[in-house]
Amino acid sequence: NIDFSVSPWEKIAFVWNTWAWKSTIINLLFRFYDTNDWKIFLDNKDINNYNKKSIRRNIWLVMQDSSLFNDTIKNNLLYAKPNATKKEIELALKNAEANFVFDLDKWIDTVIWERWLKLSGWEKQRLSITRLFLKNPKILILDEATSALDNKTEKLIQKALDKLMLGRTSIVIAHRLSTIQNADKIFMLEKWKIVESWTYNELMNKKSKFFELANPENLIIN
């Protein structure tokens, strides 16, 4: 019972009171599995008729928990763009506010140890977002992308992400109000149904389900 559309260059956000739907939508978008029960169209063409590599080349996902390899920072970043130049990597690091890399003795040649023992949570997330700047995809999916960051760092990253989202389609999944307040449309889901959708201000003014969950004082969705 979920039916929605996203226009090109539009930023939409999802909020919910259950967790079941989120991984399903992401898995279907990336075609990790195919099903006839759901229909997804890209440019009016069934997603199942696209080449999987083409889809994954144009869509990029940043999650709350970043996955990094036991390898150099450089090779971890080249995962997003294998032919990236040193100058492109440096610019992406600056855009993602990952300036801590410049203070390392070996810089991008520093090896990330197994289980990420040399990096904190916010450092891993910054590298994950650096990949996003390198990849420069047409469609972004941000799944609680800034939740592992402190408030000061989140503001810096969010400013950079807002700039990156201009001119491309973005899907944001978040509990933090600061990441969805400027969305073109917010979808409120409940029991596998979209119960309401509007802009942030319109949903707050309606004083309905979204209003009941929103906590502006703590900038979160309860």
Side-chain angles (χ1 to χ4, degrees), residues 12-59:
I12 69 165
F14 286 108
V15 295
W16 67 98
N17 62 356
T18 61
W19 294 86
W21 70 273
K22 183 180 68 173
S23 58
T24 302
I25 290 181
I26 291 176
N27 287 338
L28 290 172
L29 273 174
F30 281 95
R31 287 193 63 195
F32 291 143
Y33 58 80
D34 297 327
T35 176
N36 292 323
D37 296 330
W38 287 54
K39 288 294 182 182
I40 300 177
F41 296 91
L42 291 176
D43 295 334
N44 298 317
K45 180 179 176 182
D46 193 319
I47 198 171
N48 292 329
N49 294 328
Y50 281 99
N51 180 285
K52 289 183 180 181
K53 288 185 178 180
S54 175
I55 292 173
R56 296 168 189 174
R57 187 167 56 244
N58 289 285
I59 304 177

Side-chain angles (χ1 to χ4, degrees), residues 115-132:
R115 296 181 184 274
W116 317 314
L117 293 178
K118 295 190 70 176
L119 296 179
S120 65
W122 64 267
E123 288 172 333
K124 289 187 293 179
Q125 195 67 344
R126 288 189 186 193
L127 289 183
S128 178
I129 294 173
T130 302
R131 284 174 172 170
L132 174 59

